[in-house]
Amino acid sequence: MSISYPRQSARTRRFSLGVPRAFQIAPDESRVTFLRTRAGDDPVTCLWTLDTATGEEECVADPAALDVPGEEDLPAEERARRERAREQAGGIVGYATDQGMRQAVFTLAGRLYAVDLGTALVRELPAQAPVFDPRPDPAGRRIAYVSGRTLRVIEMDGTDDRALVQPESDQVSYGLAEFVAAEEMGRMRGHWWSPDGGTLLAARVDETPVQRWHIADPANPDRPPSEIAYPAAGTPNALVSLVLLKVDGRRTAVAWDRGMFPYFVAASWDRHGLLIVVQPRDQRSQRVLSVDPTNGATSLLHTEHDPVWTEIVPGLPVRTASGDLVWTTEDRDADTRRITVGGKPVTPAGLQVRSVLGVDGESILFTGSEEPTEVHLYSYAGGETTRLTEGAGVFGGIRSGGITVVTGARLDRPGSETEVRTPAGTHPVASFAETPVITPKVELLRAGDREIRTAVLLPTGWEPDQGRLPVLMDPYGGPHAQRVLAVQRMYCEPQWLADQGFAVVIADGRGTPARGPAWERSVHGDFVGPVLDDQITALIEAARKHPAALDLDRVGIRGWSFGGWLAGLAVLERPDVFHVGIAGAPVTDWRLYDTHYTERYLGHPDEEPELYAANSLIERAADLKRPLMVIHGLADDNVVAAHTLRFSSALLAAGRPHTVLPLSGVTHMTPQEVVAENLLHIQVDYLKSVLAR
């Protein structure tokens, strides 16, 4: 029985199920651990090991084999973490190991489990439920975890479960990451073990000053609204401090100028000591501080400054075996983000560093881009930078000793690939992901003088004598995300859209990653001009390349999140170019979005109110002349539904017809199978109804 692409994509969570991920390498190089579901349509994730000598894989923890209830009652912290991480699967979606990788710990339905990675023996430990973010100490003697905003420890044998510290109020937590850290900084955790396992560094988060928003479920009026602490632009953030907690209960506060540097960005604790990274609210600098674990005093190790903003690079800070700080700097002359070791740039100009994946001795593993549509794996050691991956694609990995795990996806083939490279040979890691029923045929262009990376897809089998096609622009278009990458899977949905009778154009304009710091900062204070201009440039170039295919008298645009804002902006600002828009979860008023993201680009709304007005869709509501559909999940706690409801009210007040599609029970993601599938059909029908000849 054949299956439609929309149903297959929804059922497989956009083909993410069955893909191996979250790899770790044992220090003795004997095994690799990873997560994977058992099939491409199975949402239950299991924990696996791979024997590096033989390549044999073993499932060491399968939720189906354990007496575990369903996930309907997940802890609120875990639901929030999955939303921040855009996690679409269930089961064992995260795990942590001791330093020797002899044991791993994880949670299921808020309960704590430990597994011996050698024998695959799984034990439930009698921890205080609900359990969140368990992490064993390096020696594997005890486990730290959070329950009810309290940081606790339990011995690995299940005895002596105790709280290390009690929150002073119901607005205080220990060991958790606050909203902006998880959503915008990439910091998903809030506690770190010392190398000797005797001390924990814990984040203390006080949400007392943060305004409270309430997210109701209108489809179920008997349910009370959920209250969230949401730090919208210009409003107070959570107060974050750090405390060193001895396992015997003694505590020491970490001291730094939290008034000037309120954002706690990252921590790293290795044999050289404890490092933290802090940032001021305007984000124009970052400080790397060394922490004395005996008294909590800090000393300045490094400062990075930029007149616009400093970028948080994943994987930092780390140190080499000799103790040199690994960091990044932005070479303005070469317009390149480069790795520094001991303050000296070591990676070549022109190679845009994207993330640091780890340090092994004096060797640094990282990802970078020479061509922005590709992400490759690199190693720096001995004064030389070596590329470890070949061909057009997007790659990542980890390394320890003689073992390197390389993951990747390519443009010339479906799915993903993973291999474990050892001195004795290479072992592939199986992917159980389904192969899409559709094979995209994509053309990658460089549009205009700025060489905007652009993808064009036409209907399968289309010939020029069949007549010109309505155009569908399908962007994200904003910071920290790309749609035009050398990955075949990314173009399956655009190809399906094209096969419904459209020419699909996707463009990554100014503000998107991997084109250099100046490119990223060109949207500072102004999303509207650069972002919209680059979409139009890409559209014109695609039409120039395919004059018989693209009908510029029939152009639609759709997008989600920042792309939803862009879709709404396009029909409001340039109705001469864009004839219909579909805005999914759009940020219609940047005052309603979070502090860390919004203030980086637009400043503080009390100081730069004109920038917020200039980038607002609500301020433009009276300008709507084209059909517009706005889609929003009513349970969205990232871009809350108030964005769409206030925008709709402004449109109505201005007498501007529009369509609103509310999604009951849906968050910023749309993992529900029926919702995800039918959303595609609804959008296509709407576009066709407007763009038909």
Side-chain angles (χ1 to χ4, degrees):
M1 179 180 176
S2 62
I3 185 172
S4 70
Y5 172 80
R7 171 52 64 99
Q8 185 190 31
S9 177
R11 190 186 66 188
T12 62
R13 314 286 167 87
R14 296 189 173 183
F15 304 94
S16 63
L17 302 180
V19 176
R21 59 191 175 99
F23 288 88
Q24 295 190 45
I25 303 171
D28 65 4
E29 303 180 20
S30 63
R31 68 169 64 97
V32 170
T33 56
F34 61 97
L35 300 176
R36 183 180 57 196
T37 68
R38 287 187 174 275
D41 60 354
D42 180 359
V44 180
T45 311
C46 305
L47 178 62
W48 303 74
T49 61
L50 180 143
D51 187 312
T52 56
T54 65
E56 180 181 354
E57 299 176 12
E58 179 185 6
C59 180
V60 295
D62 183 353
L66 303 172
D67 182 22
V68 182
E71 298 193 324
E72 296 80 10
D73 296 321
L74 283 175
E77 295 86 356
E78 176 62 15
R79 290 190 185 278
R81 187 201 68 80
R82 294 188 187 188
E83 184 70 19
R84 303 285 77 80
R86 309 300 189 257
E87 174 65 63
Q88 299 194 67
I92 305 170
V93 297
Y95 70 101
T97 72
D98 57 16
Q99 188 173 33
M101 253 178 69
R102 295 177 296 271
Q103 301 176 90
V105 299
F106 56 88
T107 64
L108 289 169
R111 291 149 60 170
L112 176 62
Y113 293 84
V115 56
D116 185 303
L117 294 173
T119 65
L121 176 65
V122 180
R123 299 176 293 126
E124 181 180 357
L125 302 182
Q128 178 72 49
V131 175
F132 175 74
D133 195 21
R135 296 180 183 271
D137 74 1
R141 295 168 297 190
R142 56 183 66 92
I143 304 163
Y145 69 96
V146 179
S147 181
R149 292 178 168 254
T150 300
L151 185 60
R152 305 178 64 89
V153 293
I154 185 172
E155 300 300 306
M156 188 63 79
D157 63 6
T159 63
D160 198 18
D161 181 25
R162 62 196 185 278
L164 280 185
V165 60
Q166 291 287 353
E168 293 81 0
S169 77
D170 59 3
Q171 302 302 315
V172 174
S173 67
Y174 284 90
L176 297 176
E178 76 279 18
F179 178 90
V180 294
E183 182 66 38
E184 308 299 356
M185 300 181 201
R187 177 170 63 79
M188 306 297 293
R189 59 189 294 190
H191 59 94
W192 296 260
W193 280 107
S194 63
D196 65 5
T199 308
L200 277 159
L201 174 71
R204 179 187 184 273
V205 177
D206 183 355
E207 294 181 327
T208 302
V210 184
Q211 67 181 359
R212 293 311 194 268
W213 285 358
H214 297 85
I215 299 179
D217 182 2
N220 294 281
D222 57 312
R223 298 177 185 173
S226 299
E227 183 180 274
I228 61 171
Y230 193 95
T235 69
N237 281 302
L239 301 174
V240 181
S241 56
L242 295 172
V243 60
L244 292 157
L245 300 169
K246 294 285 189 181
V247 294
D248 62 9
R250 289 176 293 163
R251 58 186 292 181
T252 304
V254 176
W256 80 93
D257 187 348
R258 293 193 295 117
M260 285 291 292
F261 295 88
Y263 285 132
F264 163 50
V265 176
S268 174
W269 205 339
D270 59 21
R271 65 186 182 88
H272 299 292
L274 172 59
L275 300 180
I276 63 171
V277 179
V278 295
Q279 194 179 45
R281 183 150 178 168
D282 68 13
Q283 302 178 53
R284 291 175 182 165
S285 65
Q286 289 185 64
R287 285 189 172 183
V288 184
L289 305 177
S290 177
V291 181
D292 184 340
T294 63
N295 58 19
T298 57
S299 57
L300 179 62
L301 187 63
H302 179 75
T303 296
E304 194 72 22
H305 178 78
D306 187 275
V308 183
W309 73 72
T310 55
E311 192 71 22
I312 297 173
V313 176
L316 300 179
V318 287
R319 282 187 276 204
T320 65
S322 59
D324 285 332
L325 176 68
V326 177
W327 193 251
T328 60
T329 191
E330 298 188 345
D331 184 334
R332 291 179 178 83
D333 293 334
D335 194 22
T336 302
R337 183 168 295 119
R338 304 172 68 184
I339 287 177
T340 62
V341 178
K344 178 184 176 182
V346 297
T347 51
L351 171 59
Q352 303 291 350
V353 172
R354 301 176 74 120
S355 67
V356 174
L357 301 174
V359 172
D360 187 43
E362 301 299 313
S363 173
I364 304 168
L365 192 71
F366 67 97
T367 59
S369 296
E370 298 165 82
E371 156 58 39
T373 61
E374 300 179 17
V375 182
H376 285 279
L377 191 62
Y378 295 84
S379 175
Y380 170 81
E384 297 291 332
T385 297
T386 305
R387 195 168 102 174
L388 305 179
T389 49
E390 298 299 331
V394 172
F395 302 91
I398 60 169
R399 170 183 283 172
S400 179
I403 307 294
T404 304
V405 179
V406 180
T407 63
R410 299 178 182 272
L411 187 61
D412 61 358
R413 67 196 72 167
S416 63
E417 55 193 45
T418 305
E419 58 184 31
V420 178
R421 300 178 182 178
T422 79
T426 298
H427 304 298
V429 181
S431 172
F432 300 149
E434 289 191 9
T435 300
V437 296
I438 197 166
T439 301
K441 183 179 179 182
V442 59
E443 178 184 11
L444 300 183
L445 308 175
R446 299 186 181 190
D449 295 339
R450 295 188 182 91
E451 297 189 336
I452 299 159
R453 296 322 193 256
T454 304
V456 180
L457 299 99
L458 303 177
T460 303
W462 177 86
E463 296 292 341
D465 60 5
Q466 294 175 335
R468 290 194 298 170
L469 300 160
V471 184
L472 175 57
M473 301 291 290
D474 191 19
Y476 178 80
H480 294 158
Q482 290 173 265
R483 291 288 312 281
V484 185
L485 288 167
V487 176
Q488 186 180 113
R489 183 183 67 253
M490 294 190 69
Y491 302 106
C492 289
E493 183 170 300
Q495 184 65 64
W496 180 83
L497 290 166
D499 289 347
Q500 310 314 300
F502 298 95
V504 177
V505 179
I506 310 167
D508 287 340
R510 280 170 286 176
T512 57
R515 292 290 299 271
W519 180 271
E520 295 171 358
R521 285 161 176 71
S522 61
V523 298
H524 184 241
D526 180 17
F527 287 139
V528 173
V531 171
L532 192 53
D533 286 351
D534 287 355
Q535 293 297 314
I536 295 171
T537 297
L539 172 65
I540 292 171
E541 177 65 15
R544 189 186 69 80
K545 292 276 290 187
H546 297 278
L550 276 67
D551 184 351
L552 295 190
D553 291 329
R554 295 185 291 159
V555 179
I557 182 169
R558 72 159 200 157
W560 198 269
S561 198
F562 188 98
W565 169 84
L566 176 52
L569 174 74
V571 294
L572 288 163
E573 189 80 0
R574 292 300 301 273
D576 56 319
V577 176
F578 300 96
H579 307 100
V580 57
I582 298 177
V587 181
T588 65
D589 180 352
W590 289 99
R591 288 178 177 269
L592 295 176
Y593 200 57
D594 73 58
T595 52
H596 196 271
Y597 182 98
T598 313
E599 293 172 13
R600 181 189 312 133
Y601 305 110
L602 301 181
H604 195 289
D606 293 346
E607 299 168 2
E608 309 280 359
E610 70 282 357
L611 296 184
Y612 282 76
N615 288 275
S616 169
L617 299 190
I618 292 176
E619 295 288 333
R620 290 173 165 80
D623 297 333
L624 183 64
K625 299 180 179 66
R626 298 293 190 183
L628 175 63
M629 173 184 281
V630 189
I631 306 170
H632 217 122
L634 298 181
D636 195 334
D637 68 350
N638 179 18
V639 182
V640 296
H643 285 273
T644 285
L645 298 176
R646 293 186 184 186
F647 185 38
S648 177
S649 294
L651 290 168
L652 185 62
R656 298 296 185 260
H658 61 286
T659 300
V660 174
L661 177 59
L663 305 176
S664 179
V666 172
T667 63
H668 201 58
M669 302 187 294
T670 52
Q672 297 91 334
E673 187 172 320
V674 173
V675 172
E677 176 188 12
N678 288 326
L679 261 183
L680 283 175
H681 290 295
I682 288 170
Q683 292 175 72
V684 166
D685 290 345
Y686 183 74
L687 292 166
K688 284 184 173 181
S689 70
V690 176
L691 298 177
R693 287 190 183 276

